[in-house]
Amino acid sequence: MTKKNKIAAVAASAALVAVGGGAAYAYWSTTGSGSGGAAAGTTSPITINVTVAPGVAPGSPVNINYTATNPNTSSTPVTLAKPVVTTSNANCLPGWFVATAPTGTATVAGNAVKTDLGNGTLTLNDDTAVDQNACKNATITVTVASN
């Protein structure tokens, strides 16, 4: 092979590679779909703590302090329902008492205790027509839930 033929052969090979090499590819085409999911987190109930000052007597209201504990990671709004009064003595009637709770909604941060949820009062109504001595030394319990 002469030098001229070698150059022509190399040029022809290069041309074939350039033309054929550029077309020598393949690809896959497809379509598809997918989905994924995750379980939503759950929440634990908040705890409302009720602290009633001692010494309730007819016509003399005492202070009730409300706090809330939020064990969840996110903040939660708290609105207190109407308090319910119970007594340890069946002759000391819960209907003789009036308990109040703060109104409105407070936000309790996640994993926190809100000590300033608010205050209310507990009053033993002074009913002069009824003997209320059964309430002496009785345990008066105030329970409240959040809405």
Side-chain angles (χ1 to χ4, degrees):
M1 206 180 222
T2 66
K3 186 174 179 179
K4 193 175 180 180
N5 287 344
K6 285 182 185 179
I7 292 175
V10 168
S13 294
L16 284 175
V17 168
V19 172
Y25 69 92
Y27 65 92
W28 293 93
S29 68
T30 185
T31 61
S33 66
S35 65
T42 60
T43 58
S44 298
I46 62 167
T47 302
I48 306 296
N49 301 300
V50 180
T51 306
V52 180
V56 66
S60 299
V62 295
N63 189 55
I64 303 172
N65 180 262
Y66 296 94
T67 64
T69 302
N70 181 3
N72 302 295
T73 57
S74 60
S75 63
T76 187
V78 175
T79 304
L80 298 179
K82 183 178 183 212
V84 175
V85 176
T86 56
T87 69
S88 63
N89 185 328
N91 294 319
C92 177
L93 302 179
W96 292 342
F97 294 88
V98 174
T100 63
T103 58
T105 301
T107 299
V108 182
N111 295 316
V113 176
K114 185 164 181 67
T115 58
D116 61 347
L117 194 58
N119 294 308
T121 58
L122 174 65
T123 305
L124 171 54
N125 293 323
D126 192 2
D127 188 346
T128 57
V130 178
D131 180 3
Q132 294 176 316
N133 283 328
C135 293
K136 289 181 180 177
N137 297 316
T139 301
I140 314 305
T141 304
V142 176
T143 306
V144 69
S146 65
N147 292 329

